[in-house]
Amino acid sequence: MSFFFVILALVLTLGLTWRYLGSYMEAVFNGRVHWLGFVERPVYRLLGTSPEQEQTWKRYAGAMVVFSLVSLIFTYVILRVQGSLPLNPQKVGAVGPALSFNTSVSFLTNTNWQNYGGETTMSYFSQIGALTVQQFVSPAVGIAVAIAMVRGFARRKSPTIGNFWVDITRCMFYILLPIAFIFGIIFVGEGAVQTLAGTATFHDVLNGVTQTMARGPIGFMESIKQLGTNGGGFLNANSATTFENPTGLTNFLSIYLLLAIPFALTYTFGKMVSSVKHGATLLAAMVLLFGIWVGFTSYGEHQNNPAVAKAGITATVGNTEGKEVRFGDTQTALFGVASTNTSTGSANASYDSFNPLGDLGLLTGMMMGEVTPGGTGSGLYTILIYAIIAVFIGGLMIGRTPEYLGKKIQAKEVKLAGLGSLVMPLIVLVITGIAVSTVEGRAGPLNRGPHGFSEILYAITSQGNNNGSAMGGLTGNTAFYNIVGAIDMLVGRFGIIIPALALGGALAQKDVVPESLGTFRTDNSMFVGLTVGVIVIIGGLTFFPAIALGPVVEQLTHLRFF
Amino acid sequence: MTTVLNQPTSQPSESHGVAQAKGLFDGPILRQALKDSFVKLDPLTQIKNPVMFVVLVGSLITFVEALAHPSTFTWSITIWLFLTVIFANFAEAMAEGRGKAQADTLRKMRSETEARRLRADGTEELIPAAELAKGDLVVCEAGDAIPSDGEIIEGIASVDESAITGESAPVIRESGGDRSAVTGGTKVLSDRIVVRITAERGHTFIDRMITLVEGANRQKTPNEIALTILLAVLTIIFIPVVFTLVPFANFAGTAVSVVVLVALLVCLIPTTIGALLSAIGIAGMDRLVQRNVLAMSGRAVEAAGDVQTLLLDKTGTITLGNRMASTFYPVGTHTERDVADVAQLASLADETPEGRSIVVLAKQLFDIRERQLEGDHVFVPFTATTRMSGLDSGTRQIRKGAGDSVKRWVSEHGGTIPGGLDAIVERVSREGSTPLVVSDGNDIVGVIELKDIVKQGIREKFEEMRQMGIRTVMITGDNPLTAAAIAQEAGVDDFLAEATPEAKMALIKQEQEGGKLVAMTGDGTNDAPALAQADVGVAMNTGTTAAKEAGNMVDLDSNPTKLIDIVEIGKQLLITRGSLTTFSIANDVAKYFAIIPALFAVAYPQLETLNVMKLHSPQSAVLSAVIFNALVIVALIPLALRGVKFRASKSSVILRRNVLIYGVGGIIVPFIFIKLIDLVLVALHAY
């Protein structure tokens, strides 16, 4: 029953958020929100730009690349020299080069894959100055790219798609910082730790042991961790710990924050292209798939753990192995799906202990390209890429040169959309192939056989989709996994961003074909079905053999399917 | 059996001549196509089709593998993969073969004639037609074949154009005006004409037709290019999917055979649509040719499917060519019969269709027969200045003509205008008909109503167009009142009355500025700019050379209604491509369920659960999938050549239907047939 109320509360709060945050974001990016003008304007002066200086898609992408490169170097250098920097009560030393590289790429690409334990590896300065900064910056880049791409649909015969510097500035000041600040206060109020003091040591008289409790500036990192679909927690155990996720309310708010911006951006899209219905159509496709995954994974986790069952224990509360009892099986599954389907990757349980079916839910959620609803910005631009393919095939089937929002989808658009949808499966499969066939790669997984395969596949899929959630069991902090993981994340991020921006640029230059009765409708349930079909078919067909050899074999080894 | 799917609204002169519709699998075409299937194995030809190229490379890999490790299985797979390529070539060759057959017919027509060239001094010289240059003047008399395309600069002649149009009735060609163009290869039946040659050998209309139907330099259309890219993407994506199975299997402690991997790859990449794509394009052009329409480029055919505004000439397209007398209205003390009587007299010598229709109507209504006119009588022909025609018989002067003209004539001759006349004239006009006032001496007898007869079934056709989101605009020289009435009767969305070529041009530009694609038909030289401006410009074959050169299609039957068919063929072309793409991708699901359990049968016997078709053995499963994949190409050739059934309806209805048939059907069908093939293989004791 409580699960039902959680879902109900989510639907209500997210519904309102979709409508109002969505239209607020549209106002922000169309330059109608100015309440922080006094900080906004000096920033533009500093950057030597202004909202009037529009960029072509190439200039926009160029600015994005320069900005990302600076971010990467900035993070890397801090991690390498953190030993000599302040705010280091634990006196942790410099992070090794391979791990620093992996970590900087991970936070740059909004992945937050963590090959380290935060409390033992990172100084407070690194957590705040390097990692949390990227947790604000990387979602801003994602949202900016999505907005720039949407401008391609919204504009007519325009050579430009906006100004990158202006977009990320606005995104930071008007959206991410204020929301994260408010929710940070709530998290701290609920008991998430926020301190600059070093670890606390307790002597447990009862058991006669001394315990060291890690703590730090956790609370405010927590809100942006979820809001920006980052997922990289302060502590190794992430949202499973009471310091990051103290109460049922924070658990609920975490799920809410994960989904808020990705869902709301579809409204922003609708409003920008003057057809909220089009936004609602994409939302429907996202919600439909998200709902299926929640149902699937919750069902999977609600089943008894086969290993436990074999031991002769009849459990009545589903699979509780590796879960926080305070959240239970279904809500943990919900959190897991919300986190994996938003490219966040935060976790309030150990995914390695999920039933095969539950893992399959999490894994396939990512394999569908992170569009249900996907990461901040990345979910929207990726689903738009899939929608373009759906429009192309659907349009042909009614005998018209396909058009989406009046923009003709021709060779160039198909090429870019094809590229955008090709990159992720390609990089994930190839790197998984390399990992399972090299000594270094094979050294990673904890288990042998299909579960070991699942662990590798999960890790590579998670990084390729910029998710960052880990199934656990895989020893990732090796030179091999640090390097291939970084490549995986970079290709998975920029390999889609660049085609997305190019699409925006190509579409912006086009004129709009007026709608008629014969136009292929892209704002009805049929199109929801087609888009879902394209997402599932591309994801499903490309990963079918891989998942057959991982979770499917595992499931069939232990139990029947359903 | 003809392959014409959508018979247009009753056109008797359909599908003759060059456009003789051939059966789908015509004997000689079939034999030629079988031969070409092997000729096309040339890698340079294959590389143009990335999907089939992968299959070819795959079959070579399995061939090497079969040589190294011969077994029934490896050889069977190799042979079927090779057959897959052959089937694809066969589909293309079939489509081309049909065009080639038509080209051969045309070539025969281009007989080596001699031309009678006029020298500057007016004398004639005989030279081979091949030596004619642009601008030469040639003489053609009854019995002569016209040596090359040209324009009549002197004379009038009846010409047999059946070689091109299939229409056996001769047509009149005369100098000046819109009927001065003649086509090389046609025959003069009577009289003498002087023709100025407008096209050199190799560039004549027939030459162009031959190139077109043969598809010799067929260019891929924009949509085809876009689809080819998508298919390439879907091919590239499956290469890592399949080949990463090697390390994956290795990790699972098993090995997969190269042959099975290649088989899986071929099954997954969109071979069905890849194999049929070019055949669909060629067949689309071919369907147009069968309707006696020549498209100068595939691009134009594709654009036809996207057209949102159709400009249709009223006369000949929406209404039957001629107006017909429908009612006689008496005025003053006269009776209806009086009107009929006088009108018939006035029209006896009038050979225009309108005139004849008056005679016919008088006979039908009052049985007034044609009579021999006695005494001294003179026929007064219609002129643009008097706007009347009639008969002077002794002192009796009978006139019929436009209201104003006859009224002026009567007043000038001392008559009075009866009271009810203006009311009748106005009413007739408002109803979209033409009123002709009839007078006998200075007495106005009554009014003849000449009605524009809207073609049967045209209203329903326009309703279909509307459903497809196409706006129809009627173009007419009539006044707005008449135009509005006919527009309403025919059910067009809009009309352009008192249309001038400039107004037509302006309308096209205005529509195009709004991003719409416009199609129109035209025949006159003054239509040429508009034909060139329109996205789809269909010139009538009877039209001038200028019109034919400006448009991007020529209708040999000169039947403007065909514009509607052209739009449908354009749509059908895209629908066929889209549907087969969907089908091709949907097929993959069943193939996975056949091959994946088979692939890992040893390492993970538990995957047998996925073998939902309960296929006999891993080998029979893989082979069944490969055989299905090859045979489905052959099975779909007729569909590719004929095109997916197209019914004009709302886009959502078409989409639902095609998603259901080709999407959902595409998922289900292979499950059934792979199972059946597996059963057959078992029955044959192959496995």
Side-chain angles (χ1 to χ4, degrees):
Chain A
M1 211 47 201
S2 69
F3 187 54
F4 172 76
F5 284 116
V6 169
I7 299 278
L8 187 72
L10 263 185
V11 170
L12 289 176
T13 48
L14 284 172
L16 287 170
T17 307
W18 181 72
R19 169 66 185 78
Y20 293 102
L21 179 60
S23 77
Y24 172 72
M25 287 195 287
E26 185 270 337
V28 167
F29 288 108
N30 278 338
R32 297 200 310 276
V33 176
H34 297 293
W35 58 276
L36 284 171
F38 63 94
V39 278
E40 193 188 344
R41 282 187 296 272
V43 171
Y44 296 153
R45 268 200 297 280
L46 203 67
L47 292 167
T49 188
S50 80
E52 285 70 44
Q53 284 178 30
E54 289 262 327
Q55 295 168 319
T56 61
W57 83 263
K58 279 182 189 156
R59 297 285 303 275
Y60 199 101
M64 191 271 306
V65 168
V66 168
F67 181 74
S68 299
L69 209 61
V70 171
S71 292
L72 182 67
I73 295 167
F74 181 75
T75 314
Y76 182 83
V77 169
I78 289 181
L79 296 188
R80 295 290 291 133
V81 301
Q82 68 171 8
S84 343
L85 292 172
L87 292 177
N88 189 0
Q90 261 30 73
K91 305 272 173 273
V92 289
V95 184
L99 182 58
S100 294
F101 178 57
N102 184 282
T103 306
S104 349
V105 168
S106 171
F107 280 75
L108 168 80
T109 56
N110 195 240
T111 311
N112 290 211
W113 174 265
Q114 292 166 297
N115 272 338
Y116 62 88
E119 56 271 51
T120 52
T121 318
M122 297 295 167
S123 72
Y124 292 173
F125 188 89
S126 296
Q127 293 273 22
I128 301 169
L131 304 184
T132 311
V133 165
Q134 285 305 312
Q135 290 194 329
F136 277 100
V137 166
S138 65
V141 169
I143 295 172
V145 169
I147 295 295
M149 187 188 182
V150 171
R151 287 195 186 110
F153 288 104
R155 294 180 175 184
R156 275 178 179 219
K157 291 188 177 170
S158 162
T160 59
I161 54 170
N163 179 318
F164 175 75
W165 307 109
V166 172
D167 285 342
I168 52 164
T169 306
R170 284 180 175 159
C171 186
M172 290 290 273
F173 286 138
Y174 293 114
I175 299 167
L176 297 175
L177 282 167
I179 301 177
F181 182 73
I182 294 167
F183 281 89
I185 290 174
I186 300 176
F187 269 85
V188 174
E190 282 294 297
V193 174
Q194 181 72 23
T195 174
L196 289 176
T199 53
T201 309
F202 300 94
H203 184 68
D204 180 352
V205 190
L206 212 62
N207 295 302
V209 287
T210 304
Q211 254 190 316
T212 307
M213 303 291 271
R215 53 183 185 175
I218 297 174
F220 279 91
M221 188 178 182
E222 201 56 27
S223 59
I224 189 65
K225 175 185 105 182
Q226 311 290 25
L227 176 71
T229 66
N230 290 293
F234 190 97
L235 303 169
N236 196 18
N238 211 297
S239 291
T241 68
T242 44
F243 286 180
E244 287 200 15
N245 186 8
T247 63
L249 177 66
T250 55
N251 195 57
F252 174 83
L253 289 179
S254 293
I255 298 172
Y256 164 79
L257 283 175
L258 290 175
L259 300 169
I261 292 181
F263 274 137
L265 273 173
T266 60
Y267 189 93
T268 312
F269 161 71
K271 201 148 181 229
M272 284 180 78
V273 300
S274 317
S275 166
V276 173
K277 227 177 147 194
H278 272 90
T281 307
L282 291 187
L283 176 75
M286 290 172 166
V287 170
L288 184 69
L289 283 171
F290 183 72
I292 291 172
W293 261 274
V294 169
F296 186 83
T297 309
S298 305
Y299 172 84
E301 287 315 294
H302 200 58
Q303 305 309 302
N304 202 353
N305 185 320
V308 173
K310 209 172 275 174
I313 300 163
T314 355
T316 49
V317 286
N319 176 20
T320 49
E321 164 80 16
K323 289 190 179 62
E324 284 283 287
V325 180
R326 60 205 171 108
F327 303 135
D329 56 352
T330 46
Q331 281 203 55
T332 304
L334 174 65
F335 190 108
V337 172
S339 161
T340 47
N341 281 263
T342 52
S343 93
T344 306
S346 54
N348 69 355
S350 160
Y351 296 151
D352 202 22
S353 305
F354 267 35
N355 282 332
L357 215 52
D359 267 337
L360 184 63
L362 303 182
L363 188 55
T364 47
M366 295 189 285
M367 285 171 169
M368 297 302 136
E370 290 289 9
V371 291
T372 57
T376 42
S378 63
L380 181 62
Y381 62 68
T382 312
I383 203 170
L384 281 170
I385 287 176
Y386 286 127
I388 286 173
I389 295 178
V391 163
F392 182 72
I393 297 176
L396 284 185
M397 275 202 284
I398 62 157
R400 280 278 292 264
T401 294
E403 51 206 55
Y404 189 37
L405 289 159
K407 301 280 189 171
K408 282 200 172 163
I409 306 302
Q410 290 161 314
K412 191 173 183 187
E413 289 74 35
V414 171
K415 195 191 295 171
L416 291 168
L419 193 66
S421 55
L422 183 79
V423 164
M424 187 275 288
L426 199 75
I427 190 75
V428 168
L429 286 170
V430 168
I431 292 190
T432 308
I434 294 171
V436 297
S437 53
T438 54
V439 179
E440 292 82 1
R442 285 183 174 208
L446 181 67
N447 301 277
R448 296 287 109 196
H451 193 67
F453 182 76
S454 296
E455 287 171 353
I456 296 177
L457 179 66
Y458 193 105
I460 307 299
T461 306
S462 170
Q463 294 177 73
N465 281 288
N466 301 143
N467 184 284
S469 75
M471 198 165 156
L474 187 82
T475 309
N477 190 13
T478 63
F480 175 81
Y481 278 107
N482 276 327
I483 302 296
V484 295
I487 295 170
D488 197 15
M489 291 185 279
L490 284 172
V491 175
R493 174 82 165 178
F494 296 100
I496 300 176
I497 282 187
I498 303 289
L501 284 176
L503 267 172
L507 291 167
Q509 285 170 19
K510 291 188 177 232
D511 202 359
V512 171
V513 181
E515 206 177 291
S516 78
L517 260 179
T519 304
F520 172 63
R521 294 215 71 86
T522 46
D523 58 356
N524 60 10
S525 54
M526 192 73 201
F527 188 66
V528 173
L530 266 183
T531 309
V532 167
V534 167
I535 294 168
V536 173
I537 289 222
I538 291 189
L541 290 181
T542 46
F543 286 109
F544 185 91
I547 58 173
L549 294 178
V552 173
V553 167
E554 280 186 66
Q555 175 74 14
L556 292 171
T557 308
H558 299 303
L559 328 136
R560 298 168 52 82
F561 245 104
F562 297 101
Chain B
M1 177 195 152
T2 78
T3 55
V4 179
L5 260 191
N6 303 293
Q7 281 295 354
T9 45
S10 68
Q11 282 310 316
S13 65
E14 209 60 41
S15 305
H16 297 285
V18 288
Q20 201 61 259
K22 292 260 194 288
L24 263 192
F25 293 94
D26 192 66
I29 295 181
L30 197 67
R31 276 191 295 280
Q32 183 63 37
L34 281 173
K35 214 173 83 193
D36 286 347
S37 309
F38 289 89
V39 175
K40 282 173 184 284
L41 283 174
D42 178 2
L44 285 177
T45 314
Q46 290 291 320
I47 196 112
K48 288 180 194 152
N49 184 340
V51 183
M52 295 322 291
F53 185 72
V54 169
V55 182
L56 183 66
V57 171
S59 74
L60 291 179
I61 293 172
T62 58
F63 178 67
V64 172
E65 196 66 16
L67 284 178
H69 314 283
S71 75
T72 327
F73 176 70
T74 47
W75 277 113
S76 310
I77 295 284
T78 306
I79 290 167
W80 279 102
L81 292 185
F82 186 66
L83 281 178
T84 311
V85 182
I86 294 290
F87 291 160
N89 289 346
F90 178 69
E92 192 180 272
M94 277 298 293
E96 286 172 351
R98 288 147 58 82
K100 282 206 181 94
Q102 285 157 351
D104 288 343
T105 322
L106 285 169
R107 274 210 189 82
K108 278 183 206 138
M109 247 168 60
R110 208 175 47 174
S111 50
E112 291 300 321
T113 46
E114 299 213 296
R116 294 159 61 184
R117 185 162 67 178
L118 271 184
R119 289 208 192 88
D121 58 6
T123 54
E124 285 176 25
E125 58 176 345
L126 264 185
I127 62 157
E131 285 176 19
L132 281 174
K134 240 188 207 171
D136 281 352
L137 300 182
V138 294
V139 177
C140 297
E141 275 179 315
D144 286 348
I146 295 171
S148 187
D149 293 0
E151 206 148 347
I152 302 176
I153 54 162
E154 191 186 314
I156 177 167
S158 59
V159 180
D160 173 12
E161 291 192 340
S162 60
I164 303 176
T165 62
E167 177 63 66
S168 53
V171 293
I172 300 295
R173 294 277 178 244
E174 58 183 323
S175 62
D178 289 346
R179 289 178 177 258
S180 60
V182 286
T183 312
T186 57
K187 222 170 170 183
V188 177
L189 292 180
S190 70
D191 306 286
R192 175 184 188 270
I193 47 175
V194 177
V195 176
R196 188 197 300 118
I197 300 301
T198 54
E200 276 158 56
R201 193 112 184 125
H203 297 93
T204 65
F205 190 61
I206 290 188
D207 291 318
R208 264 200 293 173
M209 276 174 77
I210 292 171
T211 330
L212 280 169
V213 294
E214 270 189 334
N217 45 10
R218 201 175 80 84
Q219 299 278 313
K220 277 190 177 163
T221 57
N223 231 299
E224 203 177 349
I225 295 169
L227 185 55
T228 308
I229 291 170
L230 183 70
L231 296 182
V233 167
L234 286 171
T235 305
I236 296 168
I237 223 167
F238 284 118
I239 293 175
V241 168
V242 168
F243 288 100
T244 50
L245 280 173
V246 175
F248 291 179
N250 195 344
F251 187 81
T254 182
V256 284
S257 87
V258 178
V259 175
V260 177
L261 282 184
V262 171
L264 177 62
L265 177 64
V266 169
C267 285
L268 292 179
I269 62 176
T271 46
T272 315
I273 178 69
L276 297 172
L277 189 59
S278 61
I280 294 170
I282 298 166
M285 295 284 275
D286 192 54
R287 275 199 297 283
L288 273 181
V289 174
Q290 281 173 30
R291 305 270 184 93
N292 272 352
V293 175
L294 289 183
M296 298 303 159
S297 70
R299 192 182 282 260
V301 185
E302 220 166 61
D306 283 341
V307 159
Q308 280 162 303
T309 307
L310 282 187
L311 304 190
L312 299 163
D313 277 327
K314 183 198 80 176
T315 312
T317 311
I318 295 170
T319 62
L320 292 173
N322 310 303
R323 288 168 297 191
M324 312 271 274
S326 64
T327 327
F328 297 116
Y329 297 99
V331 291
T333 55
H334 297 284
T335 64
E336 209 180 327
R337 197 194 152 85
D338 295 343
V339 185
D341 186 58
V342 177
Q344 192 243 23
L345 270 177
S347 310
L348 273 178
D350 183 357
E351 279 302 320
T352 64
E354 286 91 353
R356 275 188 306 235
S357 79
I358 294 171
V359 177
V360 171
L361 185 70
K363 189 181 163 201
Q364 277 173 353
L365 292 179
F366 304 104
D367 204 29
I368 304 171
R369 303 207 158 261
E370 290 189 35
R371 43 198 148 171
Q372 282 301 316
L373 293 169
E374 284 151 29
D376 180 28
H377 60 265
V378 183
F379 175 61
V380 183
F382 177 88
T383 68
T385 41
T386 61
R387 297 173 69 212
M388 288 185 303
S389 65
L391 188 79
D392 290 347
S393 177
T395 54
R396 199 173 175 194
Q397 287 184 309
I398 296 171
R399 290 292 181 272
K400 71 164 200 284
D404 301 344
S405 317
V406 177
K407 267 155 67 180
R408 199 178 320 116
W409 157 270
V410 168
S411 309
E412 279 167 12
H413 288 74
T416 52
I417 312 299
L421 182 69
D422 284 346
I424 294 172
V425 167
E426 199 183 306
R427 197 181 70 226
V428 170
S429 296
R430 208 174 33 240
E431 282 166 6
S433 303
T434 311
L436 284 186
V437 178
V438 189
S439 65
D440 190 351
N442 61 7
D443 181 21
I444 289 184
V445 184
V447 178
I448 313 167
E449 177 179 3
L450 289 180
K451 209 172 178 157
D452 249 322
I453 310 292
V454 171
K455 279 188 177 174
Q456 233 183 348
I458 201 87
R459 206 187 160 85
E460 289 72 25
K461 214 64 193 174
F462 290 150
E463 183 48 44
E464 283 177 11
M465 292 285 127
R466 200 165 302 120
Q467 292 242 312
M468 289 193 283
I470 297 171
R471 210 163 76 89
T472 44
V473 181
M474 183 182 85
I475 309 288
T476 172
D478 293 344
N479 63 55
L481 207 64
T482 313
I486 296 171
Q488 205 202 352
E489 191 183 344
V492 291
D493 296 311
D494 207 347
F495 63 89
L496 180 68
E498 285 164 356
T500 57
E502 294 76 37
K504 224 165 162 177
M505 186 77 180
L507 179 65
I508 293 174
K509 280 190 174 157
Q510 179 198 326
E511 294 281 314
Q512 284 174 334
E513 260 157 37
K516 289 182 178 168
L517 264 62
V518 182
M520 69 166 282
T521 58
D523 53 3
T525 301
N526 54 18
D527 282 332
L531 278 172
Q533 178 71 33
D535 301 283
V536 177
V538 184
M540 300 293 104
N541 192 43
T542 51
T544 58
T545 313
K548 282 200 254 182
E549 269 167 12
N552 45 18
M553 290 191 198
V554 174
D555 180 13
L556 299 176
D557 294 339
S558 306
N559 166 17
T561 318
K562 231 184 267 171
L563 193 51
I564 297 169
D565 300 331
I566 294 171
V567 169
E568 290 190 347
I569 289 175
K571 284 197 178 295
Q572 198 186 24
L573 184 68
L574 295 187
I575 293 178
T576 308
R577 282 190 200 136
S579 299
L580 289 185
T581 304
T582 309
F583 184 79
S584 204
I585 300 169
N587 273 198
D588 282 2
V589 177
K591 293 170 187 165
Y592 259 140
F593 277 94
I595 297 180
I596 292 294
L599 202 54
F600 294 100
V602 180
Y604 296 127
Q606 54 278 49
L607 282 179
E608 179 63 17
T609 313
L610 295 183
N611 183 6
V612 288
M613 286 172 273
K614 301 278 167 262
L615 302 176
H616 178 71
S617 68
Q619 293 194 333
S620 76
V622 175
L623 188 57
S624 302
V626 170
I627 293 178
F628 170 79
N629 194 53
L631 289 183
V632 78
I633 295 172
V634 181
L636 290 174
I637 289 176
L639 184 75
L641 296 189
R642 235 189 288 123
V644 163
K645 204 167 173 189
F646 174 73
R647 264 193 239 117
S649 39
K650 257 194 280 188
S651 61
S652 57
V653 178
I654 302 178
L655 182 67
R656 195 175 315 124
R657 188 187 131 91
N658 288 331
V659 165
L660 215 62
I661 297 178
Y662 299 97
V664 180
I667 292 176
I668 298 167
V669 165
F671 275 103
I672 300 167
F673 281 93
I674 291 176
K675 175 69 186 170
L676 285 178
I677 295 170
D678 184 70
L679 289 177
V680 171
L681 288 177
V682 173
L684 292 173
H685 299 289
Y687 294 93

